[in-house]
Amino acid sequence: MPKLPLNYDDAKDFFEDGVRVTTKDVEQYKLTNVFVGATGVIYTPFQVLSESIVDEKHHGNYSPKAAVKDFLKGRIKLLPNENYLHVFDHWSANNHYHFHADLLPKLTLFTPQELAGLVLLLPDSFYSRKVAPELLKLFNFKPKAIEYIHYRDSNRGKVFVRNCLFIPKLTESHENHTILIEKLKQTLQPAQEENSPKRVYLKREDTSFRILLNAKEVESVLESFGFTPVPFDNLPLKDQIRTVANADILLGMHGAGLTNVLYMRKDSHLVEFRRDGKHFGHLYWHMASAAGVNYSAVFGEPDNPNLALEGIGCNLSLDVEHLKRVLERICK
């Protein structure tokens, strides 16, 4: 049961489906002679391992016969005889939130000595090449090496490994494994800086969705409460982390930037802009709770009532009076 939002009583019906989180038992598979795809799917010559598929409705899209056929034609890379670790899936491989919520917590299950003997499998993407190594270093996860699984044209790439440890997903796709997130948080020690802003507004600029339609009105209110607007779109990861690690309050639209709540000090505050009445989950509330951070939501009216805010979602006109009430409660 995550810690309730500070303004839970303002929107009990909205928060009701998030007051309990069900996690799965942590399982480890020791696999031999398997194919691993760039979306994380695992094949034997005879079947697809269903636990490696993030969404069961896509099970029919994967064919072990096709994998064997590609292998016999030399289209699949045979990896050196090492011990490999496979902890990614279709969601966590290239998504900032899911990398933090789904992949990194699995690495806390290994001792440094165990991890040093394993080659980590990741898909060959911009995120995996540029961001993932920086995050692994930050959390002091030091695998023996990283092996990138390449995409091939329009088809997903695959590799063949002789020995592989595999950990399937820990929760449903929009939830957090609270215990492991907390364990992950304990490995962090971000630097504290006196001159860093204490009230930070995560301002979205380079975007075509989840736009704040009454931004000028909202920003006027935020200015009166002493918030500093910080665009995270092109801010290096280390600067994002440094900014939120020194903030007392982080505030912004639902989106990947709020994943940085993991780096905030305990008992600080996260305020998330959301739309009422339609949502897929409570990602950042649950992550904030696991990180020891207080959470509040400010609601807005969507420009498209049929769209949720998650994903390539709707745009919002924020309720500025609700915003004022939330901030007054926090800032006093």
Side-chain angles (χ1 to χ4, degrees), residues 97-110:
Y97 164 78
H98 286 289
F99 195 89
H100 282 75
D102 302 334
L103 190 153
L104 288 173
K106 295 177 184 178
L107 299 183
T108 67
L109 299 168
F110 297 88

Side-chain angles (χ1 to χ4, degrees), residues 80-235:
N81 191 12
E82 297 275 3
N83 292 316
Y84 293 90
L85 176 61
H86 174 23
V87 290
F88 76 92
D89 56 39
H90 179 66
W91 287 101
S92 62
N94 304 303
N95 179 287
H96 195 58
Y97 164 78
H98 286 289
F99 195 89
H100 282 75
D102 302 334
L103 190 153
L104 288 173
K106 295 177 184 178
L107 299 183
T108 67
L109 299 168
F110 297 88
T111 66
Q113 293 76 17
E114 290 171 334
L115 201 55
L118 297 169
V119 177
L120 183 65
L121 294 173
L122 288 177
D124 190 10
S125 66
F126 175 83
Y127 187 93
S128 292
R129 289 277 187 179
K130 302 296 183 182
V131 182
E134 189 174 355
L135 287 172
L136 293 174
K137 182 179 179 181
L138 175 68
F139 287 95
N140 203 31
F141 294 133
K142 299 177 181 179
K144 183 176 182 179
I146 299 176
E147 178 69 40
Y148 294 100
I149 305 174
H150 293 268
Y151 292 93
R152 293 179 181 274
D153 301 324
S154 60
N155 298 317
R156 302 298 187 185
K158 301 180 187 70
V159 294
F160 181 82
V161 295
R162 295 182 178 89
N163 297 290
C164 182
L165 294 179
F166 168 61
I167 299 178
K169 62 182 181 180
L170 305 169
T171 67
E172 295 306 318
S173 295
H174 292 88
E175 295 182 353
N176 292 267
H177 195 295
T178 302
I179 295 171
L180 294 186
I181 290 285
E182 185 178 19
K183 188 176 180 182
L184 182 67
K185 167 88 172 184
Q186 291 172 354
T187 69
L188 286 171
Q189 293 181 334
Q192 302 297 311
E193 297 180 2
E194 291 297 328
N195 296 327
S196 188
K198 299 303 179 185
R199 298 179 180 181
V200 174
Y201 165 41
L202 197 164
K203 186 174 182 178
R204 290 166 59 88
E205 291 184 333
D206 187 17
T207 183
S208 58
F209 57 93
R210 277 187 254 135
I211 296 171
L212 188 57
L213 298 175
N214 59 336
K216 289 185 178 180
E217 188 179 8
V218 169
E219 289 172 10
S220 177
V221 172
L222 295 179
E223 184 180 0
S224 70
F225 279 89
F227 278 85
T228 300
V230 181
F232 273 30
D233 300 301
N234 298 307
L235 195 65

Side-chain angles (χ1 to χ4, degrees), residues 2 15 33-34 39 80 114 131 167-168 171 189 209 227 231 248 252 283 307 312 314 324:
F15 293 123
N33 300 323
V34 294
T39 57
E114 290 171 334
V131 182
I167 299 178
T171 67
Q189 293 181 334
F209 57 93
F227 278 85
D248 295 326
L283 324 183
L307 289 179
I312 303 177
C314 60
K324 289 178 183 177

Side-chain angles (χ1 to χ4, degrees), residues 30-36 42-46 78 81 159-164:
K30 294 184 178 181
L31 306 172
T32 57
N33 300 323
V34 294
F35 304 103
V36 181
I42 297 172
Y43 309 76
T44 73
F46 308 103
L78 176 62
N81 191 12
V159 294
F160 181 82
V161 295
R162 295 182 178 89
N163 297 290
C164 182

